[in-house]
Amino acid sequence: MYLRPLVRVVFVQKCFLSTAAGGSVSKGPTLWYHASDVPLTKPYDSKYKPSKPAEKFVKFSASDCRRLEGAFQKWSKSQKETKELTSVPVNEDFLFEVNIPKMVLKPTYWRGPTYEVRRGIWMNANNNPLAYELTAEIERFYAKMDSSLEGDKEQEKQDLFRFTQPYGKHRMVLFVDKTTAYLLPDLKGGELQLKLLRTNLIPPMGDKITRGSSSNHLTDAAASAKRTIENEIQGTTKQLGKLSDLISWELPSVFGMPDSKDSTKGNDDDSDVFKREIETDYDNDATTPQRDVKHLVLCVHGIGQNLGKKYEYVNFAHTVNILRTNMKKLYMESGKLQKMNRGDGSSDWRENCNVQVLPISWRHTVGFQTDATQPNKENPELPPLGDITLNGVLGLRRLLGDIALDILLYGEPYYRKRILDEVKKHLNDTYNLFKERNPGFGGEVHLIGHSLGSLILFDILCEQDDFKLDFDVKNFYSIGSPTGVFKLIQRTKIGSKQDEPEETSTSFQKPKCENLYNLFHVCDPISYRMEPLVELSMAQYQAANISHWSAGDGIASRVLEFGGSILKDIPGTAIKGQKPGNGKTMLPVDVVEKLTKLNRTGRIDYMLPPGFLEVDIIAAAKAHVSYFEEPDIAGFILKEILAKNHGNHDVIVTKLNRSSDA
């Protein structure tokens, strides 16, 4: 994927290098571009307005350009009659769409910044396309100029035109030939100045523009492509901003600690944050922009998304992009994963994992503002949060207000129902939109919930009569989840839909999914286990380990356990007949039967062991927010999605050392 700028250069050459005898550029596919440095709008910020015009534009892929131009021509002919809004899906996996009448690029499945779109008809000195309205007017004048050149030789040739409105400092356009023109201010020297301009006796006082692209532009583009390749060679995921970096530059200041080496990341200009995302998160030059998808994964965020109003770095869509990128990267490196996927009959099984991952952002639609200065819009008779917040350790209080209050909201019946309704609606809307955009999709749907999001999904899956989903759930991955402690407080056990009712004083919740996974980092202070809520005896056994990723061998068969021992199997997926040893034991058959009703592997709890010296508060906070950045998590989820159902098997577990915190 690091050669994609070079692909763009080759495409430009195909389109514009060949010239006709008269020197005009040959007719080739029209290139389309979108801005990447200055958004037109920002999510959740209705007051935002661009402070300057966009200056950085990125070309769409060849196939996107063809479809965009076709839709544009069709819309141009019919708009006066039907005024039909034309939306064209674009970019990797068609995750974005272009509104042709508005010339705007926006995400398809989530709320995000929107960007200006331009057709590459007339280019400025930086090889950027001119704005749509300016281009349209120049093209009208160009047609008049062209027809005058083809007319009677005695007729005066028309090459200067005044715009119907000013475009910045530009008031008119002077055509030099069929490929070159100048944007000019008002001519103070009158006809004499104009004659001098036409004869090139005085330097141009305007800005040169070119129809199509020149060889000099191609040289510049090739050099730019080379620089981009060199910058990207370090690896895509290293360029992606990580949510865990927020902890490095925000939390130390709250507690009065020295800033870490990453502290400058919080000072990025907002537009730079979005620019880095839209330029690095997606591979938009794939030959086939839309992959065949057999597994749709919907990810629900947890606490803290209100921070996105203050720090655009806290961007759940971007976080999910990292997970999607990691999955694709690991799949390309793993012959084992490819082999697991080969049997499904896909022709592109070597490079396509057939998994699509989309974000579900719900917090901003629930209400209850945590902004200190915002009035209470829902209940004007009540004060805003800032009016009851103490001034002591104000930074910490505000941080907790943006994060911890989400949990308090979920504990209040009014907001709990509101949250469940909103998340259910977002899930169904995203699923149905995906089906609409992918009419051939008939595959499986999986859910990932992080933090509070996992508790929300757990309750939705257990309360399908009230919060009905439009799809069945194959795998539910609960990540960094407090579900265990919530259910303990609620005196609730976890069971399977297949279980017979029991006479007990405790209540049961039974999530409607085929496989339930509870993934956590052992240093995560928010996470709790679930298996003891299914079967009390599981409290004496360690959680299964999540395998470490090995680039040379896919998902490695060796993992470093928290105790320091090296296991010789992938925990939780033991082979039938394997003999236990070294402190291991086989689970009783009746316990295995209980667990396999909730997960085909016979395990529910899976843990990431800590790195060395990960014991301070910064490491603990990072552990909770970094799951989507972990290749081990991406590899585990992908492996379990592609794995086929196992039959009955023995489950080997490790006795828990009560002196440890594992």
Side-chain angles (χ1 to χ4, degrees):
M1 71 185 291
Y2 303 124
L3 295 180
R4 59 188 182 187
L6 189 57
V7 174
R8 292 190 181 112
V9 175
V10 173
F11 180 61
V12 171
Q13 291 172 335
K14 288 181 180 178
C15 293
F16 294 120
L17 278 185
S18 60
T19 57
S24 62
V25 179
S26 64
K27 291 183 179 180
T30 300
L31 293 181
W32 284 65
Y33 300 74
H34 67 82
S36 64
D37 56 343
V38 181
L40 291 174
T41 65
K42 292 183 179 181
Y44 319 114
D45 186 357
S46 59
K47 297 181 180 179
Y48 166 79
K49 291 183 179 179
S51 60
K52 60 181 180 178
E55 297 177 351
K56 177 69 181 295
F57 287 84
V58 178
K59 281 188 286 290
F60 287 97
S61 69
S63 61
D64 283 347
C65 287
R66 287 192 294 269
R67 292 183 302 101
L68 285 166
E69 184 63 19
F72 175 81
Q73 295 297 338
K74 181 179 179 181
W75 172 77
S76 297
K77 295 176 182 178
S78 64
Q79 60 173 317
K80 293 182 180 179
E81 300 175 3
T82 64
K83 295 184 179 179
E84 178 184 358
L85 295 181
T86 303
S87 179
V88 180
V90 294
N91 290 359
E92 178 187 341
D93 291 347
F94 290 162
L95 294 176
F96 289 79
E97 60 185 39
V98 170
N99 183 305
I100 294 292
K102 295 181 179 180
M103 296 295 280
V104 168
L105 174 75
K106 71 181 187 69
T108 300
Y109 299 103
W110 64 89
R111 291 185 65 181
T114 64
Y115 291 91
E116 180 184 3
V117 171
R118 296 181 179 181
R119 295 173 72 219
I121 305 297
W122 288 92
M123 317 295 287
N124 64 20
N126 295 323
N127 206 27
N128 283 332
L130 301 185
Y132 173 69
E133 294 81 4
L134 176 57
T135 297
E137 190 154 11
I138 294 175
E139 278 293 278
R140 288 196 297 271
F141 297 146
Y142 178 83
K144 292 181 180 180
M145 181 274 297
D146 196 32
S147 63
S148 72
L149 293 178
E150 301 295 334
D152 187 353
K153 293 184 179 180
E154 299 299 325
Q155 180 183 349
E156 183 179 356
K157 308 307 179 188
Q158 191 173 6
D159 59 0
L160 180 68
F161 300 87
R162 179 173 290 276
F163 295 134
T164 58
Q165 64 179 21
Y167 295 95
K169 63 181 180 180
H170 302 129
R171 299 295 189 274
M172 57 188 70
V173 59
L174 172 67
F175 293 99
V176 177
D177 52 40
K178 287 190 175 183
T179 62
T180 309
Y182 284 93
L183 300 177
L184 303 173
D186 283 323
L187 295 177
K188 297 181 179 179
E191 191 66 26
L192 176 61
Q193 184 181 10
L194 182 59
K195 288 181 179 180
L196 292 175
L197 281 172
R198 285 170 172 157
T199 57
N200 290 325
L201 292 179
I202 63 173
M205 50 192 286
D207 295 325
K208 182 180 178 180
I209 59 174
T210 305
R211 199 169 194 269
S213 187
S214 68
S215 58
N216 288 336
H217 291 153
L218 288 172
T219 302
D220 295 340
S224 176
K226 183 177 183 297
R227 289 193 299 269
T228 303
I229 292 171
E230 292 172 350
N231 292 335
E232 291 187 351
I233 201 67
Q234 298 300 321
T236 301
T237 56
K238 291 184 180 180
Q239 293 186 356
L240 304 179
K242 296 181 179 180
L243 181 58
S244 59
D245 290 333
L246 169 69
I247 303 301
S248 298
W249 50 259
E250 177 69 14
L251 201 56
S253 63
V254 168
F255 287 96
M257 303 175 185
D259 289 343
S260 73
K261 63 180 180 180
D262 292 325
S263 61
T264 58
K265 290 195 174 183
N267 299 323
D268 280 355
D269 179 77
D270 291 344
S271 295
D272 288 342
V273 174
F274 283 132
K275 179 175 179 290
R276 181 169 59 244
E277 176 187 344
I278 199 167
E279 289 184 355
T280 62
D281 278 16
Y282 310 97
D283 180 12
N284 294 329
D285 285 312
T287 304
T288 304
Q290 187 176 35
R291 299 176 297 132
D292 179 34
V293 174
K294 297 180 179 177
H295 302 275
L296 176 61
V297 183
L298 303 179
C299 304
V300 176
H301 69 74
I303 60 177
Q305 282 303 302
N306 250 9
L307 284 170
K309 295 179 180 179
K310 300 177 182 178
Y311 309 107
E312 287 171 350
Y313 218 67
V314 183
N315 183 337
F316 188 60
H318 175 56
T319 302
V320 172
N321 290 343
I322 298 177
L323 175 62
R324 184 190 306 110
T325 299
N326 281 338
M327 282 187 173
K328 291 182 177 181
K329 179 177 182 291
L330 299 184
Y331 184 83
M332 293 293 291
E333 294 176 353
S334 172
K336 291 182 179 179
L337 290 175
Q338 294 170 14
K339 185 177 180 181
M340 294 170 69
N341 200 29
R342 181 179 183 180
D344 287 342
S346 299
S347 59
D348 57 349
W349 58 270
R350 286 184 175 86
E351 61 272 356
N352 182 10
C353 63
N354 299 119
V355 178
Q356 181 58 277
V357 188
L358 300 177
I360 302 293
S361 296
W362 55 268
R363 179 60 179 88
H364 303 286
T365 60
V366 170
F368 194 86
Q369 302 296 317
T370 60
D371 300 328
T373 59
Q374 291 294 323
N376 195 323
K377 297 179 181 179
E378 286 193 313
N379 301 100
E381 296 179 358
L382 295 175
L385 180 64
D387 288 354
I388 63 170
T389 302
L390 303 180
N391 291 328
V393 288
L394 189 58
L396 176 59
R397 291 182 184 277
R398 287 177 176 170
L399 183 64
L400 292 177
D402 286 321
I403 297 177
L405 279 181
D406 288 351
I407 297 178
L408 297 181
L409 285 180
Y410 195 68
E412 204 280 324
Y414 168 80
Y415 280 106
R416 180 183 184 274
K417 184 180 185 306
R418 188 164 179 174
I419 290 172
L420 292 173
D421 280 330
E422 285 294 330
V423 174
K424 178 207 69 173
K425 181 180 184 301
H426 286 308
L427 288 168
N428 287 336
D429 288 350
T430 303
Y431 168 77
N432 290 318
L433 179 59
F434 185 82
K435 286 277 290 182
E436 177 185 328
R437 297 299 176 90
N438 301 266
F441 175 74
E444 298 172 339
V445 182
H446 312 267
L447 299 180
I448 296 178
H450 176 237
S451 186
L452 177 62
S454 65
L455 176 60
I456 294 169
L457 286 179
F458 185 90
D459 287 344
I460 287 177
L461 291 175
C462 292
E463 301 174 35
Q464 280 293 277
D465 293 337
D466 299 315
F467 307 101
K468 178 66 176 174
L469 296 176
D470 294 342
F471 51 87
D472 294 328
V473 177
K474 178 73 172 182
N475 294 344
F476 168 37
Y477 301 92
S478 179
I479 300 180
S481 176
T483 300
V485 71
F486 269 78
K487 298 309 162 188
L488 182 63
I489 292 172
Q490 295 168 2
R491 295 166 300 185
T492 300
K493 296 191 69 175
I494 299 174
S496 164
K497 292 291 183 182
Q498 307 168 39
D499 291 337
E500 296 293 332
E502 297 182 15
E503 292 185 6
T504 175
S505 59
T506 59
S507 60
F508 270 84
Q509 280 194 297
K510 302 175 181 181
K512 189 179 181 182
C513 59
E514 286 195 28
N515 298 294
L516 170 64
Y517 296 85
N518 183 38
L519 315 182
F520 54 86
H521 193 290
V522 295
C523 290
D524 183 354
I526 308 297
S527 297
Y528 290 84
R529 292 190 62 179
M530 290 188 186
E531 285 176 342
L533 292 168
V534 178
E535 165 58 45
L536 285 174
S537 64
M538 290 304 296
Q540 61 186 304
Y541 305 115
Q542 288 185 6
N545 284 272
I546 295 174
S547 306
H548 281 297
W549 177 260
S550 171
D553 191 30
I555 297 176
S557 59
R558 293 182 301 169
V559 295
L560 181 62
E561 199 173 18
F562 186 37
S565 62
I566 301 297
L567 303 183
K568 296 182 179 179
D569 61 282
I570 299 178
T573 55
I575 302 174
K576 184 175 177 64
Q578 182 177 355
K579 300 298 182 183
N582 297 327
K584 296 181 175 57
T585 184
M586 285 187 182
L587 282 181
V589 175
D590 60 328
V591 176
V592 173
E593 184 179 353
K594 273 188 176 183
L595 293 173
T596 51
K597 287 179 180 178
L598 286 162
N599 192 307
R600 60 176 177 76
T601 68
R603 297 304 303 267
I604 296 173
D605 292 338
Y606 288 85
M607 70 176 179
L608 277 172
F612 294 106
L613 304 179
E614 285 188 342
V615 293
D616 59 32
I617 189 171
I618 304 299
K622 276 192 172 184
H624 184 65
V625 301
S626 64
Y627 290 103
F628 289 87
E629 304 160 11
E630 289 282 353
D632 294 346
I633 291 289
F636 179 87
I637 292 174
L638 187 56
K639 174 176 71 72
E640 294 302 310
I641 286 176
L642 299 179
K644 302 298 183 288
N645 287 331
H646 297 307
N648 294 329
H649 58 271
D650 297 329
V651 176
I652 298 175
V653 292
T654 303
K655 278 277 190 178
L656 184 63
N657 180 3
R658 286 299 181 181
S659 63
S660 74
D661 292 328

